[in-house]
Amino acid sequence: MIQSVLIFNTGGKARLIKTYTYMSEEEEQKLVRECFQLVSKRSMTACNFLEAGSLGVSGDTKLIYRNFATLFFVFAVDSSESELAIIDLIQVFVEVLDRVFKNVCELDIVFHIEKVHHILDEIVMGGLMLEARLEEILATIEAQDKALSAERSIFSPGKTP
């Protein structure tokens, strides 16, 4: 099971924290700090899988991460998850973000956090992978965007139904 998804920059500033098991705010901040300390000190040529021990809720937590430009995408998972499947899932998540935001950067995540959460919810729900096909995810996001723009046009000021 996926326990949490974190995105933080190279300075350790969290840009997204999504946990699938209950954690207090203090526990979430501790998770981000410890993940950053573990991941940031590794070399770029090191393996992207990392045993984290008792970092998460269960005692067998693994960190699986990818570094893209100034951002670390980290998935904390238990031992039942396949490392390669999670690496692929991170790649799909980043590709969807890249297509939705047209070359995603850290500021896109900061200023459109609700959209990033929506995209993540299309991929992972309740700690389980829902969808990993890029085109299927993009079609769902596009349909949601069309529905929102239609709703805005109906309820925009100055127009009568």
Side-chain angles (χ1 to χ4, degrees), residues 12 22 39 54-55 79 88 96 125 128 139 141 149 152:
Y22 174 75
V39 169
S54 62
L55 185 63
S79 62
D88 187 46
V96 170
M125 183 66 71
L128 301 173
I141 299 297
S149 64
R152 284 188 196 117

Side-chain angles (χ1 to χ4, degrees), residues 1-6 31 35 38-39 47-65 73-86 90:
M1 182 178 141
I2 299 170
Q3 297 173 355
S4 58
V5 177
L6 308 169
L31 176 70
C35 285
L38 290 170
V39 169
C47 177
N48 291 355
F49 316 142
L50 178 63
E51 293 293 329
S54 62
L55 185 63
V57 175
S58 65
D60 60 348
T61 303
K62 295 184 282 188
L63 296 180
I64 301 168
Y65 69 95
F73 291 77
V74 181
F75 280 56
V77 301
D78 62 21
S79 62
S80 67
E81 292 291 336
S82 164
E83 290 94 347
L84 294 176
I86 299 298
I90 294 171

Side-chain angles (χ1 to χ4, degrees), residues 53-120:
S54 62
L55 185 63
V57 175
S58 65
D60 60 348
T61 303
K62 295 184 282 188
L63 296 180
I64 301 168
Y65 69 95
R66 293 282 309 266
N67 182 5
F68 293 95
T70 62
L71 294 172
F72 287 98
F73 291 77
V74 181
F75 280 56
V77 301
D78 62 21
S79 62
S80 67
E81 292 291 336
S82 164
E83 290 94 347
L84 294 176
I86 299 298
I87 284 285
D88 187 46
L89 195 63
I90 294 171
Q91 183 66 35
V92 168
F93 182 41
V94 171
E95 284 184 37
V96 170
L97 290 173
D98 202 43
R99 289 206 190 165
V100 168
F101 294 115
K102 313 287 188 261
N103 198 8
V104 69
C105 68
E106 186 175 348
L107 290 177
D108 291 322
I109 293 171
V110 170
F111 291 117
H112 303 285
I113 192 67
E114 68 286 338
K115 182 99 170 159
V116 176
H117 275 282
H118 176 69
I119 292 168
L120 184 59

